[in-house]
Amino acid sequence: MLKELAPDQLRLTIDPQTLNLESTEHLKPVDGIIGQHRAVSALRFGLGIQEVGFNIFVAGPRGIGKMTAVKSFLEELALTKPTPNDWCYVNNFDDPYQPMALELPTGKGKEFQQDMRMFIEYVSREIPKSFESDEYGKKRDEIQRTLNERREAVLKQFSIKAGHQGFALHATQLGIVLVPVKDGKPMSETEWNALPQPEQDTRMKIRETLQDELKEAIKQTRDVERTTQNAMLELDRQVMLYQLSGVMEELTEKYKDQKEVLNYIDAIQIDMLSDIDIFKPGQDDHVPERDLDLTKYQANLLVDNSKQQGAPVVVELHPTYTNLFGRVEKEVEQGTMYTDFTMIKPGALHRANGGYIVLPVEDVLRNHMSWDGLRRALRSQSIVIEEMAESLGMSVAKSQRPQPIRLDVKVLLVGRPMFYYMMHSYDEEFPELFKVKADFDTSMPRTENNIREFLMFISMLCRKENLKHLDAGAAARLLEHASRFAEDQEKLSTHFGAIADVIREAHFWATQEQAPHITAIHVRKALEEKIYRSNLVEEHIQEMITRKILVIDTTSEITGQVNGLAVIRMGEYEFGRPSRITVTVAPGTEGIVDIERQVALGGPIHSKGVLILSGYLARMFAIDKPLTLSAKLVFEQSYEGVDGDSASSTELYALLSALADAPIRQGIAVTGSVDQYGTVQAIGGANEKIEGYFDVCRAFGLTGKQGVIIPKTNLNHLMLRDDVVDAVRDGLFHVWAVSTIAEGIEILTGKPSGTVRKNGSFPKGTIYDRVEKRLKTFRESVKKTDKKKSGGKK
């Protein structure tokens, strides 16, 4: 029998003395991302190259701390980059539905907004005051008086001329008319009719002539009124320019280097001069003196980087369309939806413009239109704020369509690798927009440097979250747990989120005991309590096994039956459980029949593993003769799907046992896959499988004859619990590591497997010899049956 594994092979144990520290309190906090050299290299490249399309997809499993690590990395890098400019939206006086975007130097956006606010306060106060002043009133009255004098002079001159010719001017509601007079008084109709007809005809001719002259006189008065009106407008204009000149000069001087701002200031002045009446008290009934609305001259500060140090880093965890691209809010006014440029709100892309934005890819894909909008923005290098309904082609009420803003941002999508490959395959634009992939690994080599950085991470976490620091024993225990998490004695897990949770829970237990530091006891307590909160199902299965509801034998010797091991995942918790695998054999030509596959409970990988068994038997026992065998293979008391090939070696042991009629020790469970050459191959979950079977054996009572056979290639993956290691040390439990099926069958049966001789036979009495003889018996039996069937036909 092969020598079993020694206790020190079952678990990596770290001596706290080798860490050379009293506690993590004295360590320098880690700076940067730990153990992810490939990812860091990709990030540096992707963030350093400025060409279009070199955005980054950060790939890695969930819970590995990608988002936190990337954010920390970016925040440090961003401090070395220039702070981007500010952005404002202002009114477009030519088309109010298309507000204009103004780009201003860093910090100037807030100043500009404040300047416009002060400008509005100034003009709303000073300009109406100017129009109320005595000086303005005098000038206006003078212009009006001049108008009246000129108008009266024209009409007086015409009135004298008309009087000399027997007519007078008479004002009516329909205008000024000529009426005949007699003795200086208007003639009545009776008096007119009493005039001789020749005199009436003469007067009518005179009236017609005077009527033409009256029209000319009225035209002259209108010209005078028009001239006067222009004079009034020029007076108002001069008053406005006088009040605006100072403040406009100040704004022009302050923003002389900002061409777009200067154009906007000029547009304000033009608009104000074209709408002077709103500043005149009592001139516009719709805008009272004390309720002057000058909102259209405000500046909507969209992005304010005045307090930003370096480039912005934005992490948007809820990347809906509006959260990414902004929105135009609306208000209800007198039952009607109303909006203007002051209601434009920024999105995450606006805030990240000139810097970096980090997005969880799964949420981007889940939110309708977000991915399509992001692609368009990156392709056009601009941010467009629009109604979602409008972008879908739906009819919507007229709303604001703000001018697009130039986009200069590095996008980092963070998610599982499956999303990268899916998008790479199904979206032809994705490879052109995200040319850099940063892969986060799940583990790192357990080198001295990585151990030191791991401890520095612990120090950083404790300082950042005000947790108790770990003493040397606790640090050693946590390092052991990190190797267990990585399922490798030579590696440390990089699932720092899960590691941090263990530290937080250990801090809780240390606080309960009022301990100055977290010790190994507190770390162990945290790990045990975490398992206890999650292992209810495991305990129920253990109970069903001990009560014989699920039949697992750990003491007998049975032919054609082996205890296989599987791992069950319940959320974040995994545990191992044994399953009885049985095989029956008989003469026939069906080959190996997988009952799980027959009833559609076996997955494709499991079915592949079963088919490999036929290849192994053919190679070992039927190279020059047919393999006549009818074997039925099944997982007993299995009521759910079975997949994976980790039980293929177990199935082969049961098959060889049945063929050789050699009982198998039921106290020994088996895991491992196998190839057609009989090589036992590595599997996953070795620790959970061994511990799960150990718990069953302990529940029935440890006899010293129980144990588990694992592939030799899984040796470095062993990080077993202390109680399992102690049981092995005391000789109550055993773990064997095998490389071939031949080694494993010897442990299970206690008999030699047999080495093939030059003539192709096996030593007498060995397992393989008995198998070969049994298969020969089957062939002969099948041959006899075939002859009988053939004779019967004759």
Side-chain angles (χ1 to χ4, degrees):
M1 184 174 293
L2 291 174
K3 186 177 180 181
E4 65 182 274
L5 297 180
D8 60 357
Q9 293 178 282
L10 305 179
R11 177 184 180 87
L12 168 71
T13 303
I14 297 177
D15 184 357
Q17 299 296 326
T18 62
L19 300 179
N20 297 319
L21 62 94
E22 293 182 9
S23 76
T24 55
E25 185 176 4
H26 306 293
L27 292 176
K28 178 184 176 183
V30 70
D31 183 21
I33 300 175
I34 306 172
Q36 302 290 354
H37 302 295
R38 185 189 306 275
V40 170
S41 175
L43 285 172
R44 286 181 196 228
F45 168 74
L47 297 173
I49 189 169
Q50 299 303 313
E51 277 68 23
V52 176
F54 283 87
N55 297 294
I56 305 170
F57 191 103
V58 181
R62 189 189 299 275
I64 202 171
K66 305 181 297 295
M67 190 73 75
T68 303
V70 167
K71 182 183 177 185
S72 176
F73 184 86
L74 288 177
E75 287 175 345
E76 181 181 350
L77 176 67
L79 291 174
T80 64
K81 303 296 182 180
T83 305
N85 291 336
D86 297 340
W87 286 91
C88 292
Y89 270 115
V90 294
N91 186 31
N92 183 346
F93 298 105
D94 294 328
D95 185 355
Y97 286 100
Q98 294 188 1
M100 297 187 301
L102 296 182
E103 184 177 7
L104 295 101
T106 307
K108 288 293 185 180
K110 193 170 186 178
E111 288 185 27
F112 181 67
Q113 183 187 47
Q114 185 64 27
D115 287 342
M116 295 314 299
R117 188 178 294 119
M118 294 175 64
F119 170 77
I120 291 171
E121 291 176 359
Y122 171 79
V123 298
S124 61
R125 181 183 66 250
E126 297 298 329
I127 294 179
K129 192 185 297 183
S130 297
F131 288 118
E132 291 178 325
S133 66
D134 294 339
E135 183 180 357
Y136 174 77
K138 289 178 181 180
K139 290 184 177 181
R140 186 179 180 87
D141 291 344
E142 184 178 347
I143 293 172
Q144 187 66 42
R145 186 170 58 252
T146 302
L147 166 64
N148 293 336
E149 289 175 354
R150 294 179 63 185
R151 183 169 54 191
E152 289 175 3
V154 171
L155 293 176
K156 185 177 180 180
Q157 183 180 0
F158 179 80
S159 180
I160 293 171
K161 182 178 181 180
H164 289 160
Q165 298 185 38
F167 285 89
L169 295 177
H170 181 67
T172 69
Q173 291 182 348
L174 298 177
I176 300 174
V177 296
L178 289 167
V179 297
V181 296
K182 183 179 181 181
D183 299 331
K185 295 180 180 180
M187 295 177 67
S188 65
E189 186 176 351
T190 302
E191 291 175 328
W192 173 261
N193 291 332
L195 292 175
Q197 186 63 42
E199 186 175 349
Q200 286 185 11
D201 294 339
T202 301
R203 285 197 174 224
M204 287 301 295
K205 289 181 180 179
I206 294 172
R207 186 178 184 276
E208 290 176 1
T209 303
L210 289 175
Q211 191 67 39
D212 293 337
E213 294 179 1
L214 176 59
K215 289 181 181 179
E216 185 62 29
I218 291 174
K219 182 180 178 183
Q220 290 180 21
T221 61
R222 287 176 179 169
D223 289 341
V224 170
E225 288 174 354
R226 192 176 297 109
T227 302
T228 302
Q229 186 179 10
N230 290 336
M232 288 285 193
L233 291 175
E234 183 60 27
L235 173 62
D236 292 346
R237 179 182 172 84
Q238 292 301 322
V239 171
M240 286 285 288
L241 288 174
Y242 175 77
Q243 290 295 342
L244 290 176
S245 60
V247 67
M248 286 295 187
E249 286 178 6
E250 290 178 6
L251 291 174
T252 301
E253 178 61 27
K254 185 171 184 178
Y255 299 101
K256 61 183 179 181
D257 296 328
Q258 309 300 316
K259 183 179 179 181
E260 292 181 350
V261 176
L262 293 179
N263 292 337
Y264 175 65
I265 293 172
D266 290 341
I268 290 177
Q269 180 166 302
I270 293 171
D271 183 76
M272 293 180 72
L273 291 174
S274 67
D275 197 11
I276 296 175
D277 286 345
I278 65 171
F279 296 96
K280 294 181 179 181
Q283 293 294 313
D284 190 340
D285 295 335
H286 300 289
V287 186
E289 177 183 353
R290 297 184 181 179
D291 192 25
L292 187 60
D293 185 7
L294 300 179
T295 304
K296 61 181 179 179
Y297 302 129
Q298 289 183 6
N300 179 6
L301 180 55
L302 195 75
V303 180
D304 177 19
N305 287 315
S306 58
K307 296 182 180 179
Q308 177 68 42
Q309 295 183 353
V313 177
V314 176
V315 179
E316 180 54 68
L317 299 178
H318 187 41
T320 62
Y321 185 83
T322 53
N323 283 355
L324 280 178
F325 300 97
R327 64 193 182 281
V328 180
E329 294 183 342
K330 296 178 177 63
E331 293 181 354
V332 177
E333 187 174 303
Q334 296 180 349
T336 303
M337 297 292 288
Y338 169 79
T339 186
D340 62 27
F341 73 95
T342 63
M343 299 183 194
I344 301 173
K345 303 301 178 183
L349 282 174
H350 294 98
R351 298 193 303 274
N353 204 4
Y356 312 95
I357 185 168
V358 184
L359 303 171
V361 64
E362 192 169 348
D363 294 307
V364 171
L365 296 176
R366 184 182 294 118
N367 283 284
H368 188 59
M369 296 296 296
S370 291
W371 172 242
D372 287 339
L374 184 61
R375 282 190 311 180
R376 283 195 301 271
L378 293 176
R379 193 170 57 240
S380 65
Q381 299 181 55
S382 64
I383 312 172
V384 178
I385 301 176
E386 60 181 343
E387 297 277 357
M388 270 192 65
E390 188 174 356
S391 64
L392 290 171
M394 299 170 62
S395 178
V396 296
K398 191 172 184 180
S399 181
Q400 300 280 303
R401 292 183 61 85
Q403 179 184 354
I405 287 178
R406 176 177 52 81
L407 178 63
D408 177 21
V409 69
K410 188 73 73 171
V411 181
L412 291 89
L413 290 180
V414 180
R416 289 176 286 171
M418 61 170 286
F419 288 105
Y420 175 83
Y421 298 119
M422 179 183 71
M423 296 171 77
H424 203 282
S425 298
Y426 294 105
D427 191 327
E428 60 183 17
E429 291 186 16
F430 177 77
E432 296 300 318
L433 298 175
F434 289 84
K435 298 180 179 180
V436 181
K437 181 187 178 192
D439 260 324
F440 270 67
D441 202 352
T442 57
S443 62
M444 59 184 179
R446 191 175 62 84
T447 63
E448 289 297 326
N449 183 61
N450 284 342
I451 289 175
R452 180 57 52 177
E453 288 190 349
F454 188 95
L455 297 175
M456 290 164 66
F457 162 77
I458 297 174
S459 177
M460 184 237 356
L461 178 70
C462 294
R463 292 172 191 270
K464 183 178 180 180
E465 300 189 10
N466 198 26
L467 305 175
K468 293 180 182 295
H469 282 271
L470 282 68
D471 66 13
R477 190 72 182 182
L478 198 63
L479 283 166
E480 293 174 8
H481 174 66
S483 289
R484 160 80 181 221
F485 208 151
E487 295 188 85
D488 198 320
Q489 295 181 6
E490 297 179 359
K491 293 183 180 294
L492 295 172
S493 172
T494 55
H495 279 82
F496 291 107
I499 300 295
D501 285 341
V502 174
I503 297 173
R504 295 180 185 110
E505 293 185 30
H507 164 78
F508 171 80
W509 298 114
T511 303
Q512 293 291 100
E513 296 182 5
Q514 298 182 347
H517 293 97
I518 296 173
T519 66
I521 295 174
H522 300 132
V523 174
R524 180 181 298 177
K525 174 77 170 174
L527 294 173
E528 290 174 350
E529 288 293 325
K530 189 177 182 70
I531 292 173
Y532 180 71
R533 293 194 300 270
S534 305
N535 73 343
L536 179 62
V537 174
E538 180 184 17
E539 287 190 355
H540 282 321
I541 292 176
Q542 294 282 0
E543 181 183 1
M544 293 173 72
I545 292 174
T546 55
R547 293 174 62 187
K548 305 293 187 181
I549 298 171
L550 295 177
V551 180
I552 296 293
D553 192 336
T554 63
T555 56
S556 306
E557 293 187 4
I558 302 175
T559 300
Q561 176 174 298
V562 183
N563 287 326
L565 298 173
V567 173
I568 297 177
R569 179 186 292 272
M570 304 292 292
E572 63 178 10
Y573 181 63
E574 295 180 346
F575 62 92
R577 62 154 291 186
S579 297
R580 276 187 307 133
I581 299 175
T582 61
V583 174
T584 59
V585 295
T589 58
E590 292 180 282
I592 301 173
V593 177
D594 177 15
I595 294 178
E596 307 294 333
R597 182 183 180 186
Q598 295 295 311
V599 297
L601 284 177
I605 299 177
H606 175 260
S607 298
K608 173 188 174 184
V610 173
L611 293 174
I612 287 174
L613 306 187
S614 299
Y616 175 80
L617 290 180
R619 175 180 172 276
M620 292 293 293
F621 308 108
I623 293 178
D624 55 357
K625 43 193 169 291
L627 185 63
T628 50
L629 168 70
S630 179
K632 302 293 191 296
L633 185 152
V634 68
F635 280 70
E636 303 290 355
Q637 292 187 292
S638 171
Y639 309 107
E640 56 190 6
V642 176
D643 203 4
D645 64 350
S646 65
S648 57
S649 67
T650 314
E651 294 162 339
L652 184 52
Y653 291 135
L655 181 59
L656 292 174
S657 167
L659 288 170
D661 194 20
I664 284 180
R665 297 161 57 188
Q666 298 301 297
I668 302 176
V670 179
T671 184
S673 69
V674 68
D675 64 15
Q676 293 187 110
Y677 292 89
T679 303
V680 179
Q681 302 165 141
I683 43 81
N687 294 300
E688 289 79 6
K689 291 176 179 179
I690 295 172
E691 292 166 355
Y693 189 65
F694 171 80
D695 290 337
V696 170
C697 293
R698 183 169 56 182
F700 283 126
L702 295 172
T703 64
K705 297 181 179 181
Q706 296 143 332
V708 175
I709 296 176
I710 65 169
K712 194 170 185 179
T713 46
N714 279 117
L715 267 178
N716 286 335
H717 303 156
L718 295 181
M719 285 295 295
L720 296 175
R721 293 189 322 235
D722 290 334
D723 56 345
V724 180
V725 177
D726 291 340
V728 172
R729 185 176 289 109
D730 296 338
L732 297 176
F733 196 74
H734 310 275
V735 180
W736 294 272
V738 300
S739 299
T740 64
I741 290 295
E743 295 173 355
I745 198 66
E746 290 183 357
I747 297 172
L748 290 168
T749 61
K751 303 182 184 305
S753 58
T755 304
V756 64
R757 295 169 174 166
K758 290 183 178 181
N759 62 359
S761 64
F762 296 95
K764 187 175 182 180
T766 62
I767 295 294
Y768 288 158
D769 176 58
R770 294 166 67 171
V771 170
E772 186 173 50
K773 289 179 179 178
R774 187 73 176 276
L775 289 173
K776 181 179 180 181
T777 302
F778 285 173
R779 281 195 298 274
E780 292 173 352
S781 176
V782 170
K783 188 181 295 184
K784 289 180 181 179
T785 302
D786 290 343
K787 283 183 178 180
K788 288 181 180 180
K789 290 181 179 179
S790 177
K793 289 180 181 179
K794 291 179 180 178

